[in-house]
RNA sequence: GCGGGUGUCGCCAAGCGGUUAAGGCCUCGGAUUGUGGUUCCGAUAUUCGUGGGUUCGAUCCCCAUCACCCGCCCCA
């Protein structure tokens, strides 16, 4: 028996209603804020991700599905920011009047050990905004995420924000951090030693308890807590906070929020839920002002986020699929099919029994899946009428076809 | 990459060395054959993830293997 691949899942009819709601709400909320959907390919040149997402990230180093085809190295997208940026550049979308507001949804692929809230094929929904470096763009971006989550009935989420500073102030901070860590470098874990070389900021969110202990050292805490970011970056962050206050978005500042993707600068944020277990981030994002230029486009500031839809799914109340308007009960499948066709043309959702089972069985099924039973038996065919039974109230009427349709539609 | 757990019918499960391998849900059929959501009856696992081993005997013990789950790491 061939099974679904490790870390992949079928989304079954019993769950589909919830997925459709997630998608409908996204369309609704994003449309209202002038975001346009963009659909980009599921595979891209490997180089797009190694350059775009960053060589020092786990995603690129050990989690990509990469294969060779016709002497090209191809990778299944592990996230979609790089792909959207590529499309933005390639199609000249930078020529549009900024800001250019895009959203997407679709499957992403990461070769990791599956666990609760983590699959190898999973779905993300996200937005990307290009062309504005203003903190008001950051605020709208975060607010859109919150509004979307609210529309799905999620109100008790934790929005964490931080500023990583720009290339200049980050460099200073990085050097200072290196100086303070160096004396104890040997005591840090192997990963952190690598991070020390490649991306020392990542040491700040190491989950290893002994590293965490080392970071509690006063001079390091002082460095983290003194706003290392330059005046401009600080002002940007302050404005963002004031806009979020204005919008009544609750947030907490988490100075150790760093995020594992290389392209972020200034604002980064995550939205977490305690209900998720160890994979507790439902949304993550930030500003990436250098990425468009780095991938060969004109210098364009940008910001975006992505949500894990499976995680979202596990947080929201599951919706049951709706009942059909009608189920046709008949011992004449051909006539039943004809009637169904006519009902469907009148915008009535309906079905019938192909096997002409006993009426008792057909009613049994009807009561499970439909609001009305429409009986089309010998006597109805003779008199050219329909017997319509309301399966909730048990009221039953013999009507001509147009009255029956009216009743079902009412 | 590292640690822990689980694997009996489509689903949820009992059994823990000798059983005809419980039970519930779903499905299917029936209770004077055109009326349901209630009730009652009946059907559905030659077999307990797979391959070895121990034993007179293994779903129950041992080994291996596979699959899945959970945690670490990382991320959505």
């Amino acid at each position: 028996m061939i099974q679904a691949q490790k870390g992949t899942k079928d989304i079954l009819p019993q769950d589909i209603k919830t997925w459709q709601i997630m998608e409908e709400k996204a369309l609704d909320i994003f449309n209202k804020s002038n975001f346009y959907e963009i659909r980009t390919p599921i595979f891209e040149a490997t180089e797009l991700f190694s350059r775009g997402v960053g060589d020092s990230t786990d995603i690129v180093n050990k989690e990509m599905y990469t294969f060779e085809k016709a002497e090209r190295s191809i990778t299944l997208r592990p996230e979609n920011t790089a792909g959207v940026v590529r499309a933005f550049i390639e199609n000249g979308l930078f020529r549009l009047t900024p800001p250019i507001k895009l959203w997407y949804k679709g499957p992403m692929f990461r070769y990791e050990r599956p666990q609760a809230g983590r699959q190898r094929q999973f779905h993300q929904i996200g937005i990307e905004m290009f062309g504005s470096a203003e903190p008001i763009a950051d605020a709208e971006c975060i607010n859109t995420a919150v509004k979307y989550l609210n529309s799905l009935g999620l109100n008790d989420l934790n929005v964490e924000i931080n500023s990583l500073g720009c290339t200049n102030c980050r460099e200073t901070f990085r050097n200072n951090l290196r100086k303070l860590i160096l004396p104890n470098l040997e005591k840090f874990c192997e990963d952190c030693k690598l991070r020390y070389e490649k991306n020392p900021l990542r040491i700040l969110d190491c989950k290893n308890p002994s590293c965490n202990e080392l970071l509690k050292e006063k001079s390091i805490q002082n460095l983290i807590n003194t706003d290392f970011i330059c005046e401009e970056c600080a002002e940007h962050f302050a404005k963002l906070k004031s806009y979020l206050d204005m919008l009544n978005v609750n947030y907490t500042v988490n100075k150790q929020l760093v995020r594992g993707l290389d392209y972020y600068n200034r604002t980064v944020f995550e939205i977490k839920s305690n209900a998720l277990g160890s994979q507790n981030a439902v949304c993550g994002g930030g500003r990436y002002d250098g990425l468009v230029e780095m991938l060969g486009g004109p210098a364009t500031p940008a910001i975006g986020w992505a949500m894990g839809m499976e995680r979202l799914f596990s947080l929201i109340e599951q919706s049951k699929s709706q009942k059909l308007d009608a189920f046709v009960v008949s011992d004449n499948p051909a006539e039943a099919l004809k009637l169904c066709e006519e009902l469907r043309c009148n915008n009535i959702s309906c079905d019938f029994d192909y096997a002409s089972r006993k009426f008792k069985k057909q009613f049994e099924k009807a009561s499970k899946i439909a609001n009305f039973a429409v009986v089309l038996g010998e006597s109805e065919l003779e008199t050219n009428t329909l017997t319509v039974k309301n399966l909730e109230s048990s009221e039953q009427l013999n009507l001509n076809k147009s009255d029956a349709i009216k009743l079902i539609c009412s």
Side-chain angles (χ1 to χ4, degrees):
Chain A
M1 165 63 191
I2 298 171
Q3 295 176 299
Q5 290 300 289
K6 187 197 276 274
T8 69
K9 279 207 169 93
D10 302 307
I11 297 171
L12 298 169
Q14 66 205 43
D15 293 331
I16 206 67
K17 190 70 199 170
T18 303
W19 281 86
Q20 288 167 342
I21 286 170
M22 289 193 285
E23 290 163 5
E24 282 162 16
K25 292 287 184 190
L27 191 60
D28 177 42
I29 297 286
F30 300 157
N31 272 346
K32 275 185 194 153
S33 298
N34 198 29
F35 285 89
Y36 281 81
E37 186 178 0
I38 183 167
R39 300 188 185 184
T40 62
I42 281 172
F43 59 85
E44 298 270 5
T46 301
E47 194 192 355
L48 175 66
F49 303 115
S50 56
R51 282 173 53 197
V53 179
D55 276 330
S56 79
T57 62
D58 282 3
I59 291 177
V60 169
N61 281 320
K62 47 188 194 193
E63 296 173 5
M64 295 208 297
Y65 278 95
T66 297
F67 58 97
E68 297 290 319
K69 197 77 187 173
E71 293 176 31
R72 290 167 196 250
S73 180
I74 306 287
T75 294
L76 264 31
R77 61 184 189 192
E79 55 96 60
N80 206 29
T81 297
V84 170
V85 169
R86 196 225 81 239
F88 176 83
I89 297 167
E90 189 171 339
N91 297 288
L93 300 185
F94 49 81
R95 274 185 256 275
L96 300 170
T97 309
I100 296 101
K101 300 161 89 173
L102 304 172
W103 75 275
Y104 62 82
K105 65 171 196 283
M108 307 295 158
F109 305 85
R110 278 140 64 170
Y111 186 79
E112 301 180 84
R113 288 291 291 272
Q115 68 180 75
R118 194 170 76 190
Q119 293 171 208
R120 289 181 173 180
Q121 177 177 170
F122 61 104
H123 297 79
Q124 286 189 332
I125 194 159
I127 68 173
E128 313 289 353
M129 298 174 65
F130 296 94
S132 175
E134 296 300 321
I136 204 160
D138 306 38
E140 209 194 358
C141 183
I142 293 171
N143 188 234
T144 303
V146 171
K147 285 284 131 45
Y148 174 53
L149 293 166
N150 289 347
S151 80
L152 292 168
L154 302 173
N155 300 303
D156 297 325
L157 296 161
N158 216 346
V159 180
E160 297 188 354
I161 63 172
N162 191 24
S163 177
L164 301 176
C166 56
T167 40
N168 294 333
C169 45
R170 199 166 4 162
E171 194 52 39
T172 316
F173 181 76
R174 196 177 281 160
N175 291 336
N176 289 337
L177 185 62
R178 277 210 181 98
K179 271 182 215 155
L180 292 174
I181 283 174
L182 188 60
N184 287 322
L185 185 59
E186 277 312 303
K187 295 180 194 160
F188 280 86
C189 70
E190 289 308 307
D191 284 336
C192 280
K193 284 173 194 160
L194 277 174
R195 290 175 182 138
Y196 181 84
E197 299 300 331
K198 284 190 158 181
N199 191 350
L201 287 187
R202 296 274 306 283
I203 296 174
L204 297 182
D205 68 353
C206 181
K207 304 296 188 296
N208 191 316
S210 69
C211 294
N212 233 293
E213 226 21 68
L214 290 165
L215 290 175
K216 285 185 181 154
E217 207 239 312
K218 264 186 205 149
S219 60
I220 295 176
Q221 281 302 315
N222 284 341
L223 178 65
I224 292 170
N225 289 320
T226 38
D227 288 319
F228 67 88
I229 53 179
C230 65
E231 231 167 86
E232 280 176 35
C233 287
E235 194 189 329
H236 185 100
F237 196 50
K239 279 186 178 168
L240 165 62
K241 287 190 285 189
S242 74
Y243 290 133
L244 291 176
D245 290 336
M246 184 187 78
L247 291 164
N248 289 320
V249 172
N250 289 319
Y251 60 87
T252 54
V253 175
N254 175 358
K255 295 255 180 198
Q256 294 193 213
L257 178 63
V258 172
R259 303 193 49 73
L261 282 70
D262 285 356
Y263 50 63
Y264 289 120
N265 69 303
R266 287 196 167 164
T267 308
V268 290
F269 58 93
E270 281 186 7
I271 301 177
K272 294 177 180 172
S273 164
N274 298 327
L276 276 176
S278 61
Q279 307 303 322
N280 64 354
V282 68
C283 176
R287 182 164 276 288
Y288 50 94
D289 291 334
L291 186 60
V292 176
E293 189 173 20
M294 202 195 70
L295 289 175
T300 307
I303 184 165
W305 52 254
M307 288 191 197
M309 294 183 76
E310 281 79 3
R311 292 181 190 176
L312 208 48
F313 179 94
S314 67
L315 287 176
I316 66 185
E317 204 175 313
Q318 305 305 305
S319 307
K320 285 180 187 154
S321 55
Q322 286 172 323
K323 284 193 169 183
L324 287 174
D325 296 321
F327 188 86
V328 173
V329 173
S330 174
D331 51 8
N332 186 330
E335 290 296 335
L337 173 57
K338 246 168 74 186
L339 176 59
C340 276
E341 258 318 287
E342 202 176 335
L343 294 176
R344 289 163 185 164
C345 286
N346 282 281
N347 214 17
I348 291 168
S349 62
C350 59
D351 207 353
F352 67 103
D353 183 26
Y354 295 173
S356 289
R357 268 173 285 213
K358 293 183 176 174
F359 275 30
K360 180 184 166 75
K361 295 294 173 192
Q362 293 195 39
F363 268 93
E364 215 172 289
K365 173 142 187 169
S367 68
K368 281 179 192 155
I369 67 168
N371 294 319
F372 287 93
V374 177
V375 185
L376 180 63
E378 277 174 36
S379 58
E380 284 85 0
L381 283 169
E382 268 170 35
T383 55
N384 198 24
T385 58
L386 295 171
T387 299
V388 179
K389 181 170 186 175
N390 182 324
L391 290 164
E392 218 174 294
S393 66
S394 297
E395 274 178 281
Q396 181 168 314
L397 294 167
N398 190 252
L399 302 165
N400 66 43
K401 209 175 271 175
S402 63
D403 287 342
I405 288 169
K406 273 182 209 153
L407 176 61
I408 295 167
C409 290
S410 65

